[in-house]
Amino acid sequence: GQNIDQPTEMTATEGAIVQINCTYQTSGFNGLFWYQQHAGEAPTFLSYNVLDGLEEKGRFSSFLSRSKGYSYLLLKELQMKDSASYLCAAMDSNYQLIWGAGTKLIIKP
Amino acid sequence: GAVVSQHPSWVICKSGTSVKIECRSLDFQATTMFWYRQFPKQSLMLMATSNEGSKATYEQGVEKDKFLINHASLTLSTLTVTSAHPEDSSFYICSAPQGEGHFQYFGAGTRLSVL
């Protein structure tokens, strides 16, 4: 079956770095997405990886290893506004997104 | 970037009534749109895939007669929750894919509360 695993909750300190891991199993693969979702709001797109390696975009970076079915989202210089849920989603061969349950990130001062 | 508009953002209704939610792609055409439901502290659950000019594809366990989907044009899909009950209270989100990467652009979501 198709499955996405990511931690339920993580806590980090303002100004620090945090890495959110995601492992996936899908029927075919057309890329790995990370979305940020604040409470009561729709998800907003953060990153997309389809090739192995690291994609850097400002304070956020995303890494993919297709052979390991593994991705991580790296957040640097954490700010209080980064407190949110981070959703990992893999796109299967039918271009359908398979969603993880989300990782709730709590930032402490 | 592409914009998807979803309306209304919040609706409160009485049990037994029907509620219609609209999802519009504002600056691109979408032959497919996705409808999700999200309960508190849970991830997005795909309910159905809306197909322009044909019937929607429903996920297992989703009642077709209760959640009516219409995709009458290339920019508009609607979800109607018929005979709503308190257990239907949830956050409903639509999305539309665009571009070669099939990026999904999300509407702002509709919070439905059934009394």
Side-chain angles (χ1 to χ4, degrees), chain B residues 12-42:
Chain B
I12 301 173
C13 69
K14 294 182 179 179
S15 185
T17 60
S18 295
V19 174
K20 179 185 283 189
I21 303 170
E22 292 188 349
C23 182
R24 294 179 185 273
S25 55
L26 295 186
D27 51 0
F28 67 100
Q29 294 182 333
T31 56
T32 300
M33 290 187 180
F34 300 98
W35 287 97
Y36 294 90
R37 180 169 52 183
Q38 186 177 35
F39 291 106
K41 299 184 179 181
Q42 296 185 23

Short mmCIF file of all heavy atoms in Angstrom, two decimals, chain B residues 12-42:
data_model
loop_
_atom_site.label_atom_id
_atom_site.label_comp_id
_atom_site.label_asym_id
_atom_site.label_seq_id
_atom_site.Cartn_x
_atom_site.Cartn_y
_atom_site.Cartn_z
N ILE B 12 -22.29 28.08 8.89
CA ILE B 12 -22.99 27.41 9.98
C ILE B 12 -24.38 27.08 9.49
O ILE B 12 -25.07 27.95 8.95
CB ILE B 12 -23.06 28.29 11.24
CG1 ILE B 12 -21.64 28.66 11.70
CG2 ILE B 12 -23.81 27.58 12.35
CD1 ILE B 12 -21.62 29.66 12.84
N CYS B 13 -24.80 25.85 9.65
CA CYS B 13 -26.12 25.48 9.15
C CYS B 13 -26.81 24.53 10.14
O CYS B 13 -26.17 23.95 11.02
CB CYS B 13 -26.02 24.82 7.77
SG CYS B 13 -25.25 23.20 7.78
N LYS B 14 -28.10 24.39 9.95
CA LYS B 14 -28.87 23.48 10.78
C LYS B 14 -28.79 22.07 10.24
O LYS B 14 -28.65 21.86 9.03
CB LYS B 14 -30.32 23.93 10.85
CG LYS B 14 -30.53 25.26 11.57
CD LYS B 14 -32.02 25.60 11.62
CE LYS B 14 -32.25 26.92 12.35
NZ LYS B 14 -33.70 27.27 12.39
N SER B 15 -28.92 21.13 11.10
CA SER B 15 -28.91 19.73 10.69
C SER B 15 -30.05 19.47 9.71
O SER B 15 -31.17 19.94 9.90
CB SER B 15 -29.07 18.85 11.93
OG SER B 15 -28.96 17.49 11.60
N GLY B 16 -29.75 18.76 8.65
CA GLY B 16 -30.76 18.44 7.65
C GLY B 16 -30.75 19.35 6.44
O GLY B 16 -31.37 19.02 5.41
N THR B 17 -30.05 20.45 6.52
CA THR B 17 -29.99 21.36 5.38
C THR B 17 -28.81 21.00 4.48
O THR B 17 -27.95 20.18 4.84
CB THR B 17 -29.85 22.82 5.82
OG1 THR B 17 -28.64 22.95 6.59
CG2 THR B 17 -31.03 23.24 6.69
N SER B 18 -28.78 21.61 3.29
CA SER B 18 -27.70 21.37 2.34
C SER B 18 -26.82 22.60 2.21
O SER B 18 -27.30 23.73 2.30
CB SER B 18 -28.27 20.99 0.98
OG SER B 18 -28.95 19.75 1.05
N VAL B 19 -25.56 22.36 1.99
CA VAL B 19 -24.59 23.45 1.88
C VAL B 19 -23.77 23.26 0.62
O VAL B 19 -23.27 22.17 0.35
CB VAL B 19 -23.64 23.46 3.11
CG1 VAL B 19 -22.54 24.49 2.93
CG2 VAL B 19 -24.43 23.71 4.39
N LYS B 20 -23.62 24.33 -0.15
CA LYS B 20 -22.82 24.28 -1.37
C LYS B 20 -21.54 25.07 -1.18
O LYS B 20 -21.55 26.21 -0.73
CB LYS B 20 -23.60 24.84 -2.56
CG LYS B 20 -22.78 24.82 -3.87
CD LYS B 20 -23.51 25.50 -5.02
CE LYS B 20 -24.58 24.64 -5.60
NZ LYS B 20 -25.14 25.21 -6.85
N ILE B 21 -20.44 24.45 -1.59
CA ILE B 21 -19.12 25.10 -1.52
C ILE B 21 -18.58 25.21 -2.94
O ILE B 21 -18.62 24.24 -3.70
CB ILE B 21 -18.15 24.27 -0.65
CG1 ILE B 21 -18.73 24.07 0.75
CG2 ILE B 21 -16.79 24.96 -0.57
CD1 ILE B 21 -17.96 23.06 1.59
N GLU B 22 -18.09 26.39 -3.28
CA GLU B 22 -17.57 26.62 -4.63
C GLU B 22 -16.05 26.72 -4.63
O GLU B 22 -15.45 27.26 -3.71
CB GLU B 22 -18.14 27.93 -5.20
CG GLU B 22 -19.61 27.91 -5.48
CD GLU B 22 -20.07 29.16 -6.20
OE1 GLU B 22 -19.27 30.13 -6.29
OE2 GLU B 22 -21.21 29.19 -6.67
N CYS B 23 -15.47 26.20 -5.68
CA CYS B 23 -14.03 26.26 -5.86
C CYS B 23 -13.75 26.75 -7.28
O CYS B 23 -14.19 26.12 -8.25
CB CYS B 23 -13.43 24.88 -5.65
SG CYS B 23 -11.63 24.81 -5.77
N ARG B 24 -13.06 27.86 -7.39
CA ARG B 24 -12.78 28.46 -8.70
C ARG B 24 -11.29 28.63 -8.94
O ARG B 24 -10.56 29.08 -8.05
CB ARG B 24 -13.43 29.84 -8.82
CG ARG B 24 -14.93 29.86 -8.81
CD ARG B 24 -15.48 31.28 -8.92
NE ARG B 24 -16.92 31.30 -8.79
CZ ARG B 24 -17.76 31.13 -9.80
NH1 ARG B 24 -17.29 30.96 -11.02
NH2 ARG B 24 -19.06 31.15 -9.59
N SER B 25 -10.85 28.25 -10.13
CA SER B 25 -9.48 28.57 -10.53
C SER B 25 -9.57 29.92 -11.25
O SER B 25 -10.27 30.06 -12.24
CB SER B 25 -8.92 27.48 -11.44
OG SER B 25 -9.75 27.26 -12.57
N LEU B 26 -8.87 30.91 -10.72
CA LEU B 26 -9.07 32.28 -11.19
C LEU B 26 -8.26 32.63 -12.43
O LEU B 26 -8.68 33.46 -13.23
CB LEU B 26 -8.75 33.26 -10.07
CG LEU B 26 -9.67 33.20 -8.85
CD1 LEU B 26 -9.34 34.32 -7.89
CD2 LEU B 26 -11.13 33.25 -9.26
N ASP B 27 -7.09 32.06 -12.58
CA ASP B 27 -6.24 32.47 -13.69
C ASP B 27 -5.70 31.30 -14.50
O ASP B 27 -4.72 31.43 -15.22
CB ASP B 27 -5.09 33.34 -13.18
CG ASP B 27 -4.34 32.69 -12.03
OD1 ASP B 27 -4.73 31.57 -11.63
OD2 ASP B 27 -3.38 33.28 -11.53
N PHE B 28 -6.36 30.16 -14.37
CA PHE B 28 -5.99 29.01 -15.19
C PHE B 28 -7.19 28.07 -15.28
O PHE B 28 -8.12 28.16 -14.48
CB PHE B 28 -4.77 28.28 -14.61
CG PHE B 28 -5.01 27.60 -13.28
CD1 PHE B 28 -5.25 26.23 -13.21
CD2 PHE B 28 -4.98 28.33 -12.09
CE1 PHE B 28 -5.47 25.61 -11.99
CE2 PHE B 28 -5.19 27.72 -10.87
CZ PHE B 28 -5.44 26.35 -10.81
N GLN B 29 -7.13 27.19 -16.26
CA GLN B 29 -8.21 26.23 -16.43
C GLN B 29 -7.84 24.92 -15.74
O GLN B 29 -6.68 24.49 -15.78
CB GLN B 29 -8.47 25.99 -17.92
CG GLN B 29 -9.02 27.23 -18.62
CD GLN B 29 -9.32 26.97 -20.09
OE1 GLN B 29 -8.72 26.12 -20.72
NE2 GLN B 29 -10.28 27.71 -20.63
N ALA B 30 -8.82 24.32 -15.11
CA ALA B 30 -8.57 23.09 -14.36
C ALA B 30 -9.57 22.02 -14.79
O ALA B 30 -10.75 22.11 -14.47
CB ALA B 30 -8.67 23.36 -12.86
N THR B 31 -9.10 21.03 -15.51
CA THR B 31 -9.98 19.94 -15.89
C THR B 31 -10.22 19.00 -14.71
O THR B 31 -11.16 18.22 -14.71
CB THR B 31 -9.39 19.13 -17.05
OG1 THR B 31 -8.08 18.68 -16.68
CG2 THR B 31 -9.27 19.99 -18.30
N THR B 32 -9.36 19.10 -13.73
CA THR B 32 -9.47 18.28 -12.53
C THR B 32 -9.36 19.16 -11.30
O THR B 32 -8.55 20.09 -11.28
CB THR B 32 -8.35 17.22 -12.48
OG1 THR B 32 -8.44 16.38 -13.62
CG2 THR B 32 -8.45 16.37 -11.21
N MET B 33 -10.16 18.89 -10.32
CA MET B 33 -10.02 19.54 -9.02
C MET B 33 -10.19 18.47 -7.94
O MET B 33 -10.85 17.45 -8.16
CB MET B 33 -11.07 20.64 -8.83
CG MET B 33 -10.82 21.86 -9.71
SD MET B 33 -11.97 23.20 -9.29
CE MET B 33 -11.45 24.47 -10.45
N PHE B 34 -9.58 18.71 -6.81
CA PHE B 34 -9.63 17.75 -5.72
C PHE B 34 -10.37 18.35 -4.53
O PHE B 34 -10.21 19.53 -4.21
CB PHE B 34 -8.21 17.35 -5.27
CG PHE B 34 -7.39 16.71 -6.35
CD1 PHE B 34 -6.47 17.44 -7.08
CD2 PHE B 34 -7.54 15.36 -6.63
CE1 PHE B 34 -5.71 16.85 -8.08
CE2 PHE B 34 -6.78 14.75 -7.63
CZ PHE B 34 -5.87 15.50 -8.36
N TRP B 35 -11.16 17.51 -3.88
CA TRP B 35 -11.85 17.94 -2.66
C TRP B 35 -11.33 17.11 -1.49
O TRP B 35 -11.33 15.88 -1.53
CB TRP B 35 -13.36 17.75 -2.81
CG TRP B 35 -13.98 18.76 -3.71
CD1 TRP B 35 -14.27 18.62 -5.04
CD2 TRP B 35 -14.37 20.10 -3.37
NE1 TRP B 35 -14.82 19.77 -5.53
CE2 TRP B 35 -14.89 20.70 -4.53
CE3 TRP B 35 -14.33 20.84 -2.18
CZ2 TRP B 35 -15.37 22.01 -4.55
CZ3 TRP B 35 -14.80 22.14 -2.19
CH2 TRP B 35 -15.32 22.72 -3.37
N TYR B 36 -10.90 17.84 -0.45
CA TYR B 36 -10.36 17.21 0.75
C TYR B 36 -11.23 17.57 1.95
O TYR B 36 -11.90 18.61 1.97
CB TYR B 36 -8.94 17.72 1.04
CG TYR B 36 -7.88 17.34 0.02
CD1 TYR B 36 -7.61 18.16 -1.07
CD2 TYR B 36 -7.14 16.17 0.17
CE1 TYR B 36 -6.62 17.83 -1.99
CE2 TYR B 36 -6.14 15.84 -0.74
CZ TYR B 36 -5.89 16.68 -1.81
OH TYR B 36 -4.91 16.35 -2.71
N ARG B 37 -11.13 16.73 2.96
CA ARG B 37 -11.75 17.02 4.24
C ARG B 37 -10.68 16.85 5.30
O ARG B 37 -9.85 15.93 5.20
CB ARG B 37 -12.92 16.07 4.49
CG ARG B 37 -13.65 16.30 5.81
CD ARG B 37 -14.95 15.52 5.85
NE ARG B 37 -14.79 14.12 5.54
CZ ARG B 37 -15.80 13.25 5.46
NH1 ARG B 37 -17.04 13.67 5.65
NH2 ARG B 37 -15.58 11.99 5.19
N GLN B 38 -10.70 17.72 6.28
CA GLN B 38 -9.70 17.64 7.33
C GLN B 38 -10.37 17.83 8.69
O GLN B 38 -10.95 18.89 8.96
CB GLN B 38 -8.61 18.70 7.13
CG GLN B 38 -7.45 18.57 8.12
CD GLN B 38 -6.36 19.59 7.85
OE1 GLN B 38 -6.63 20.71 7.44
NE2 GLN B 38 -5.10 19.20 8.08
N PHE B 39 -10.28 16.80 9.52
CA PHE B 39 -10.79 16.90 10.89
C PHE B 39 -9.67 17.45 11.78
O PHE B 39 -8.49 17.35 11.42
CB PHE B 39 -11.29 15.54 11.37
CG PHE B 39 -12.54 15.09 10.66
CD1 PHE B 39 -12.50 14.08 9.71
CD2 PHE B 39 -13.77 15.68 10.92
CE1 PHE B 39 -13.64 13.67 9.04
CE2 PHE B 39 -14.92 15.28 10.26
CZ PHE B 39 -14.85 14.27 9.31
N PRO B 40 -10.04 18.02 12.93
CA PRO B 40 -9.03 18.63 13.81
C PRO B 40 -7.87 17.69 14.12
O PRO B 40 -8.07 16.51 14.41
CB PRO B 40 -9.84 18.97 15.07
CG PRO B 40 -11.23 19.18 14.57
CD PRO B 40 -11.40 18.18 13.46
N LYS B 41 -6.68 18.23 13.99
CA LYS B 41 -5.44 17.52 14.32
C LYS B 41 -5.20 16.31 13.43
O LYS B 41 -4.41 15.42 13.79
CB LYS B 41 -5.42 17.11 15.80
CG LYS B 41 -5.49 18.30 16.75
CD LYS B 41 -5.37 17.85 18.19
CE LYS B 41 -5.43 19.06 19.12
NZ LYS B 41 -5.29 18.68 20.54
N GLN B 42 -5.86 16.25 12.29
CA GLN B 42 -5.63 15.17 11.34
C GLN B 42 -5.18 15.75 10.01
O GLN B 42 -5.27 16.94 9.77
CB GLN B 42 -6.90 14.33 11.15
CG GLN B 42 -7.34 13.60 12.41
CD GLN B 42 -8.51 12.70 12.16
OE1 GLN B 42 -8.76 12.27 11.03
NE2 GLN B 42 -9.26 12.39 13.20
#
